[in-house]
Amino acid sequence: MDVWKNESAAWPVANPVVTCASVSDAGFPSNFVADPFLYVQGDTLYLFYETKNSITMQGDIGVAKSTDKGASWQQLGIALDEDWHLSYPYVFNHLDKIYMMPEGSAKGELRLYRAVNFPLQWKLEKILMKKPLVDSFIIKHDGEYWLFGSDHSGFGTKKNGQLEIWHSSSPLGPWKPHKKNPIYNVDKSLGARNGGRPFLHEGILYRIGQDCGETYGHQVRVFKVEVLTKNDYKEVEVSLGFEESRKGRNAWNGARYHHLDVQQLSSGKWIGVMDGDRVPSGDLVRRFVLGCASLAAVTAIVVVLGVLLGAVKCIIPLNWCAYYSGKRSDTLLVWERSNAFSSKVRRFCGRLNRAASSLRVKIRPNTWAGRLVLAVIFAVGVALIFTSVKCFYGGNGAEEPYPFKGSYSQFTLLTMTYDARLWNLKMYVKHYSRCSSVKEIVVVWNKGTPPKLSDLDSVVPVRIRVENQNSLNNRFKKDELIKTRAVLELDDDIMMTCDDIERGFNVWRQHPDRIVGFYPRLISGSPLKYRGEKYARKHKGYNMILTGAAFVDSKVAFERYCGEEAKRGRDLVDKYFNCEDVLLNYLYANASTSGTVEYVRPTWAIDTSKFSGAAISRNTQLHYKVRSNCLQKFSEMYGSIGGRKSEFQWRKDGWDS
């Protein structure tokens, strides 16, 4: 939490810190990453994890290193690769030697490896058991070593609901079974299967378990171990204290998280690593099956429409039907007489064709009822086509953030409003709070009685900052409570997709010294004249970005706007009750000789104020006239920006800028 890394313009760094994409980009093709375990050496963190090779489709053990408290990770490579699937790389130290005990149940053994050149070279030390144990760990407790694991191979064993314990005087064995084995053989939702490294807190041992009820790896559960002896074992579930994200598929762990490793550092602080997924287990297969079913249904609907419209005379070729009297080969006839199944198929095909004829009689396209039926069937077919396309090409439905230099980050969303626009605000908060990178929403309340926080449907913290004066300058007031460097200034009447917002944030992270936004303007002429976006596109350039939808550096932008140099400009904003965004553009331009604005083209945007009747600038001509006056006044104060111009370009990633 609150780890900053200036090099990649991530303020602060956000989860996830390692993805299958970042592993693949490092040259190690991966379909997914899971089961993370930490190994701490001084100030260096090593992260061992399962990575499924996207070429061999087999699980290997990867390793990454961090020297900045986990803010960034360098992929070191594959630490262990066997001829069978590997996962759950439990790494621990014993007598100054580093061991790894990964799951390799496909081999039917529990193997222990020792590092010969940490962290990338390992040697088989010993086969601990000839049992296909899954998700096993070893821990020393009360002078004895304990091995926890699950064996799903036994008759009557409930998968993901079984747990066994073994004990020994050494982690190298030999291991003896606990007298109460199996400790659990229960429902898979109760956390019997291990879900990470056990830990000690205030002298009490805690075990992490997996809840696989709704889907595999749905969530982790924590159990306090009350009794652990050779003859008895008792544990009780306690609260994890983990606040789940409510962003659904837009959260990196919105659907499931099934592994946790927490460790206490020498400083006394704690560090934890967890895996997560946006979608339930088997989502890809489910979407494929649903897409195929939708496609099959569309085919059936096309045939039915063809029958009703007379374009299709029969559903099945006539020579397949039992009542067909046409010519067929003698060989085929002899085969059909001796084959009962063929006879049944021919009779079924005949019934289908008779059903088609009956359907044409009952539903006549030239009647109003027939037309209504045709319209409904057609609408259902169109809906099924969209469903099929979405399943095959629509992805998992998430609007994911875009990494920059391998890191993710978060921003604060800030909007300014008043009581007459509460309807806009409610819809605004509900939509944008679910975008992946939004950390907090700040509502600058300029006039009237502010709403209660309970009136707003938000999945991130919302802070309402009530102002004493109704001033547009409040938008850029210094706010020490904002915890992110990036702030998205976004009017409460603008609705656009979370994906557009995420793209804009990614561009800002590449140019954090600029105003990066979605509404460009070109200021030119003598005298300077304010015009709309069409003028900028016609002249193929822009030199201003409206801050009604723009990313800025909160520290830089607010300090410039609230500084003594900007006082005359702020007074003019209060006089006209307009032009605060124009002033900020002038302040940026006055502080730099290079480019100060960057444009990102949104896929679409809707002005919701037109539906509520609470639009601020109803008279466009008067609004533009006031802004033209502002341009002339600001040019006298801070110098003209008319000579600057950035051209619209088409980026490789398809973004217009």
Side-chain angles (χ1 to χ4, degrees):
M1 297 179 65
D2 298 326
V3 176
W4 291 46
K5 186 176 188 302
N6 292 345
E7 180 185 331
S8 64
W11 302 280
V13 172
N15 285 319
V17 293
V18 174
T19 67
C20 59
S22 63
V23 174
S24 298
D25 290 343
F28 312 102
S30 174
N31 272 351
F32 70 78
V33 290
D35 295 353
F37 281 102
L38 287 169
Y39 188 83
V40 183
Q41 279 189 341
D43 293 330
T44 302
L45 303 177
Y46 290 93
L47 181 66
F48 292 85
Y49 56 90
E50 172 194 357
T51 172
K52 185 178 179 182
N53 189 304
S54 55
I55 297 175
T56 65
M57 301 304 288
Q58 176 181 285
D60 301 325
I61 304 303
V63 60
K65 181 177 76 171
S66 175
T67 56
D68 53 10
K69 301 179 181 180
S72 61
W73 293 86
Q74 175 191 357
Q75 295 299 325
L76 301 180
I78 302 301
L80 193 59
D81 179 8
E82 295 283 18
D83 294 333
W84 53 90
H85 181 87
L86 297 174
S87 62
Y88 207 82
Y90 183 72
V91 182
F92 65 97
N93 188 292
H94 174 63
L95 300 178
D96 295 328
K97 294 181 180 179
I98 304 174
Y99 294 92
M100 181 198 299
M101 187 176 68
E103 181 203 317
S105 57
K107 180 68 173 175
E109 300 171 343
L110 181 62
R111 293 183 158 210
L112 184 68
Y113 296 82
R114 177 173 53 84
V116 293
N117 188 9
F118 185 83
L120 286 174
Q121 293 183 12
W122 299 79
K123 178 183 178 182
L124 177 63
E125 183 75 5
K126 190 175 183 181
I127 297 176
L128 298 180
M129 286 190 198
K130 289 283 188 177
K131 287 175 68 72
L133 290 184
V134 301
D135 295 356
S136 304
F137 66 75
I138 296 174
I139 187 170
K140 188 176 183 180
H141 184 67
D142 289 343
E144 190 81 359
Y145 287 92
W146 304 89
L147 190 155
F148 287 60
S150 300
D151 182 4
H152 297 154
S153 63
F155 179 76
T157 298
K158 295 184 178 181
K159 188 175 182 181
N160 299 324
Q162 199 257 18
L163 177 67
E164 296 181 0
I165 298 177
W166 302 70
H167 60 88
S168 173
S169 59
S170 166
L172 302 181
W175 294 95
K176 299 177 181 179
H178 194 279
K179 285 194 175 182
K180 283 195 172 182
N181 274 349
I183 303 298
Y184 294 128
N185 190 26
V186 294
D187 186 83
K188 60 185 178 181
S189 66
L190 298 179
R193 180 170 177 171
N194 293 322
R197 185 190 303 271
F199 63 93
L200 282 171
H201 178 58
E202 297 180 351
I204 299 174
L205 177 64
Y206 294 86
R207 184 183 71 87
I208 312 293
Q210 289 187 47
D211 173 357
C212 297
E214 295 182 19
T215 180
Y216 170 69
H218 172 55
Q219 62 182 354
V220 297
R221 291 183 165 193
V222 179
F223 301 89
K224 183 173 77 170
V225 178
E226 294 186 327
V227 178
L228 176 56
T229 66
K230 298 176 182 179
N231 300 317
D232 198 10
Y233 180 77
K234 290 181 182 179
E235 64 181 13
V236 293
E237 185 171 2
V238 295
S239 172
L240 174 61
F242 176 70
E243 185 176 340
E244 294 187 7
S245 173
R246 293 187 289 146
K247 295 187 178 186
R249 297 196 175 199
N250 285 353
W252 70 275
N253 58 350
R256 52 188 179 138
Y257 51 93
H258 84 319
H259 186 101
L260 174 66
D261 181 11
V262 293
Q263 296 189 40
Q264 190 170 23
L265 304 176
S266 57
S267 63
K269 294 183 178 180
W270 289 81
I271 187 168
V273 59
M274 176 181 277
D275 60 9
D277 201 349
R278 301 177 185 276
V279 296
S281 177
D283 180 73
L284 185 63
V285 174
R286 184 194 63 82
R287 284 189 280 120
F288 178 77
V289 171
L290 182 59
C292 290
S294 300
L295 200 59
V298 169
T299 304
I301 286 176
V302 169
V303 173
V304 170
L305 286 175
V307 169
L308 293 177
L309 296 173
V312 177
K313 301 300 181 183
C314 60
I315 298 176
I316 305 296
L318 291 176
N319 60 351
W320 291 14
C321 301
Y323 55 81
Y324 178 66
S325 58
K327 185 177 180 181
R328 284 202 295 268
S329 69
D330 293 337
T331 304
L332 184 60
L333 286 170
V334 171
W335 179 78
E336 287 177 350
R337 290 192 190 102
S338 61
N339 194 309
F341 176 75
S342 171
S343 179
K344 290 179 181 179
V345 170
R346 291 186 60 227
R347 283 198 296 272
F348 175 74
C349 293
R351 291 192 190 100
L352 278 180
N353 278 347
R354 285 195 294 272
S357 301
S358 176
L359 194 63
R360 277 196 297 268
V361 172
K362 291 181 179 179
I363 303 176
R364 300 181 181 276
N366 56 349
T367 64
W368 69 268
R371 294 191 187 99
L372 180 61
V373 171
L374 287 175
V376 171
I377 294 175
F378 180 78
V380 171
V382 171
L384 287 171
I385 289 174
F386 281 121
T387 301
S388 180
V389 171
K390 182 180 179 181
C391 289
F392 288 133
Y393 300 105
N396 59 22
E399 294 180 283
E400 301 182 25
Y402 295 85
F404 176 60
K405 293 186 177 180
S407 296
Y408 295 88
S409 189
Q410 291 179 305
F411 61 86
T412 299
L413 188 61
L414 188 147
T415 189
M416 186 169 61
T417 189
Y418 61 103
D419 52 2
R421 297 165 67 90
L422 183 57
W423 178 83
N424 295 63
L425 180 65
K426 287 183 176 180
M427 184 166 54
Y428 175 101
V429 169
K430 182 177 182 179
H431 172 65
Y432 288 117
S433 69
R434 287 159 174 82
C435 296
S436 293
S437 300
V438 174
K439 183 179 179 66
E440 179 189 26
I441 297 177
V442 177
V443 179
V444 179
W445 195 262
N446 258 5
K447 186 175 68 173
T449 304
K452 298 178 181 177
L453 292 179
S454 59
D455 295 336
L456 304 175
D457 180 8
S458 176
V459 299
V460 299
V462 176
R463 179 164 55 91
I464 300 177
R465 197 179 79 200
V466 181
E467 300 293 346
N468 297 322
Q469 178 185 356
N470 184 14
S471 170
L472 296 182
N473 289 320
N474 293 333
R475 178 193 291 271
F476 303 116
K477 181 183 288 187
K478 290 182 181 180
D479 190 338
E480 298 300 328
L481 295 180
I482 292 178
K483 300 301 182 184
T484 63
R485 183 172 178 181
V487 167
L488 172 58
E489 297 273 358
L490 186 63
D491 287 349
D492 64 338
D493 55 8
I494 294 177
M495 296 295 289
M496 60 180 68
T497 66
C498 286
D499 183 66
D500 284 336
I501 297 297
E502 297 293 348
R503 291 194 294 110
F505 184 38
N506 184 272
V507 174
W508 178 84
R509 293 179 67 193
Q510 299 171 47
H511 307 283
D513 57 333
R514 302 181 184 182
I515 301 174
V516 176
F518 302 91
Y519 293 97
R521 295 292 186 266
L522 179 61
I523 306 305
S524 63
S526 183
L528 294 176
K529 188 175 181 181
Y530 184 87
R531 301 175 178 88
E533 184 174 334
K534 288 184 179 179
Y535 179 82
R537 293 200 170 277
K538 181 179 179 181
H539 290 79
K540 301 180 180 179
Y542 62 95
N543 51 17
M544 181 181 291
I545 293 292
L546 300 188
T547 56
F551 285 93
V552 295
D553 182 327
S554 60
K555 299 292 188 293
V556 173
F558 296 170
E559 287 178 4
R560 286 178 182 172
Y561 197 90
C562 297
E564 186 62 29
E565 184 183 7
K567 185 178 185 307
R568 293 170 60 200
R570 294 197 303 272
D571 292 341
L572 193 67
V573 170
D574 281 336
K575 177 181 177 180
Y576 288 136
F577 203 74
N578 203 327
C579 305
E580 79 286 357
D581 51 351
V582 178
L583 174 58
L584 187 66
N585 275 268
Y586 269 88
L587 295 174
Y588 262 74
N590 189 43
S592 175
T593 58
S594 60
T596 58
V597 291
E598 196 77 19
Y599 168 61
V600 180
R601 184 171 187 171
T603 305
W604 56 262
I606 298 175
D607 183 356
T608 60
S609 66
K610 300 187 185 304
F611 305 109
S612 65
I616 292 177
S617 307
R618 290 185 175 277
N619 190 329
T620 302
Q621 289 186 345
L622 179 60
H623 179 63
Y624 280 22
K625 182 178 179 180
V626 171
R627 287 185 160 241
S628 295
N629 290 337
C630 289
L631 292 174
Q632 296 173 36
K633 297 289 186 181
F634 290 154
S635 294
E636 294 172 4
M637 298 177 188
Y638 309 110
S640 177
I641 64 173
R644 298 174 181 241
K645 183 178 178 182
S646 299
E647 294 184 353
F648 294 103
Q649 336 176 5
W650 186 257
R651 300 184 180 211
K652 291 181 179 179
D653 47 22
W655 303 346
D656 197 353
S657 73

